Amino acid sequence: LPPAKPLPAYAAWKNPAALVVHSGTTIETRRSAFGSSVITPAQQLYIRNNLPAPDASILDKRDEWTLEVSGVKQPRSLSLAELKTLGLETVATVLQCSGNGRGFFPSKPSGTPWTVGAAGCVLWSGVPVRTVVAALGGLAEGAVFLTGTGGEKLPEGVDPLSVVVERSVPIKALEDCLLAWEMNGEPLSLAHGGPLRLIVPGYQGVNNIKYIKRLSFDASESKAKIMAHGYRMTPPGAQTSPDQASVWEMNVKSWINGPAADAGPVKAGRVQIHGVAFAGTKAIERVEVSVDGGDSWHTARLVGPDLGRFAWRQFALSVQLPAGTYQLASRAVDTAGNVQPADRVENAHGYNNNSWRDHAVKLVVA
Ligand code: MSS
């Protein structure tokens, strides 16, 4: 094994034992570190930055951070202090990188080869975007997309649209969106987008804009490269193009976290198989578990608190396993009847992998 890379300075407070550091901007939670409770502690939550993280000084005067809002009847800038007076809600969401599961694509798409750890379930506190829109007189005519812009300082001498982290989502997401300043009960860290972050519950990670500086409601999608050409379901071998589906709502997905394959063999006898399941904007209806690679399935128990349809549900199945080698798999079904598929949708950049087969794990019982 190559020596583990150290955590970058802005994430030095994280738990190195729980993480795989792919690079200074891509850090993954170990499968065995998810544990068996519902909320992912900040110290072990994954990180993905498309640009270098901003200077930590942006957190010096959190309340003075400003957000410019346009595409409303009374467009203007609001300070974080003012946003805090407008409203308060807490929502639990799954934050997952669109490329989570890329590591299972045999085609080895370029990008971080995440397995399951570019995801977590966290609590966000902030003001609902709809409350902010109402305070600014409501939406202007013709808004079809909600667009968030990241507050990173852009490199000089390049077209800003080629680097800015700016993403648009369909306006229907407005109902659920939050401008968050707190995560898991603590002021939002720089690593996760402090002082202010856009949360789009049920949507892939890239749409959840950190250090948000601008929020707009427009008739068309952002022309930024990350929107027009990035994060699209590009067919294998094809060029990216704005007419391909964008990675927006997450699909139905589950995986097993324990017994952890990386923790060595387990003792023959009673075994608790457990994991997590989620389905974007839909709630989980049922999870099935297989110990024979998908030949037969058993309905698992949904356990732990139900933190709402945007959070993940824990599941557990108690089984009696004699010595042997088992292929453990899980398959989730959401309340709209969508069933987690056996196979991934092949695509050039390795997005949206929810194949139950790819996420199966080998368990040795001795
Ligand atoms: N935001 C900003 N501003 N910047 C960047 O870079 N990234 C993305 C999101 N947001 C960014 C942002 C991504 S891409 C992701 S995943 C996320 O974020 C992550 O988060 P965390 O907190 O974990 O780090 Mo893929 O789809």
Side-chain angles (χ1 to χ4, degrees):
L1 278 180
K5 293 193 190 96
L7 287 164
Y10 72 95
W13 52 273
K14 296 230 174 203
N15 175 5
L19 299 161
V20 180
V21 181
H22 293 286
S23 76
T25 53
T26 50
I27 300 168
E28 164 164 24
T29 308
R30 290 185 191 281
R31 196 164 185 151
S32 53
F34 277 117
S36 47
S37 62
V38 65
I39 291 295
T40 311
Q43 288 81 353
Q44 54 204 61
L45 182 63
Y46 84 103
I47 297 178
R48 162 54 167 146
N49 280 332
N50 298 65
L51 288 172
D55 195 272
S57 63
I58 69 168
L59 299 184
D60 286 352
K61 294 179 176 155
R62 290 174 182 266
D63 282 353
E64 289 174 26
W65 182 263
T66 58
L67 174 74
E68 183 196 321
V69 185
S70 62
V72 288
K73 299 241 167 68
Q74 295 141 28
R76 66 179 174 90
S77 283
L78 293 91
S79 67
L80 178 46
E82 184 181 0
L83 287 167
K84 286 178 175 171
T85 67
L86 293 180
L88 180 62
E89 254 176 42
T90 294
V91 64
T93 77
V94 173
L95 181 68
Q96 180 189 228
C97 181
S98 340
N100 200 27
R102 181 186 288 125
F104 300 128
F105 279 70
S107 56
K108 303 242 174 301
S110 67
T112 307
W114 312 108
T115 59
V116 295
C121 183
V122 289
L123 291 169
W124 307 101
S125 297
V127 61
V129 172
R130 62 183 139 72
T131 305
V132 178
V133 168
L136 299 180
L139 289 177
E141 212 71 22
V144 182
F145 294 98
L146 178 164
T147 298
T149 311
E152 287 105 334
K153 266 219 172 57
L154 302 181
E156 308 263 329
V158 294
D159 176 2
L161 286 180
S162 70
V163 284
V164 68
V165 178
E166 183 173 272
R167 291 280 305 175
S168 307
V169 296
I171 197 78
K172 67 169 186 208
L174 166 64
E175 202 45 45
D176 303 319
C177 284
L178 204 69
L179 286 161
W181 51 79
E182 228 177 85
M183 191 186 91
N184 291 354
E186 291 176 334
L188 192 49
S189 62
L190 184 70
H192 298 297
L196 187 67
R197 183 174 194 170
L198 175 66
I199 302 305
V200 188
Y203 281 60
Q204 293 284 21
V206 69
N207 303 291
N208 295 256
I209 302 295
K210 307 193 217 186
Y211 358 95
I212 188 169
K213 265 317 242 181
R214 219 163 60 83
L215 180 65
S216 60
F217 303 92
D218 309 292
S220 51
E221 295 178 19
S222 163
K223 300 288 183 290
K225 186 170 174 230
I226 195 173
M227 185 68 215
H229 287 275
Y231 296 87
R232 300 239 167 212
M233 291 296 275
T234 304
Q239 291 300 307
T240 60
S241 141
D243 55 22
Q244 295 153 356
S246 196
V247 296
W248 279 336
E249 279 175 67
M250 294 188 283
N251 48 27
V252 59
K253 182 167 179 177
S254 69
W255 63 76
I256 288 164
N257 285 326
D262 52 358
V266 305
K267 273 212 352 232
R270 188 145 296 285
V271 174
Q272 290 292 330
I273 300 170
H274 64 90
V276 293
F278 56 99
T281 59
K282 315 218 170 46
I284 287 297
E285 177 71 36
R286 183 170 84 247
V287 180
E288 296 162 333
V289 168
S290 173
V291 297
D292 54 15
D295 290 340
S296 62
W297 295 93
H298 313 270
T299 301
R301 226 163 25 95
L302 297 179
V303 296
D306 178 352
L307 298 180
R309 65 193 164 107
F310 306 119
W312 62 31
R313 267 331 287 273
Q314 305 160 253
F315 63 84
L317 182 74
S318 172
V319 284
Q320 198 71 39
L321 295 180
T325 298
Y326 299 85
Q327 188 68 6
L328 309 184
S330 65
R331 182 170 73 179
V333 181
D334 72 21
T335 50
N338 299 300
V339 182
Q340 184 179 351
D343 301 310
R344 74 193 91 82
V345 172
E346 296 299 341
N347 66 97
H349 301 289
Y351 295 132
N352 286 354
N353 190 355
N354 65 340
S355 151
W356 61 252
R357 205 173 269 141
D358 281 358
H359 291 79
V361 280
K362 190 171 105 175
L363 179 71
V364 177
V365 176

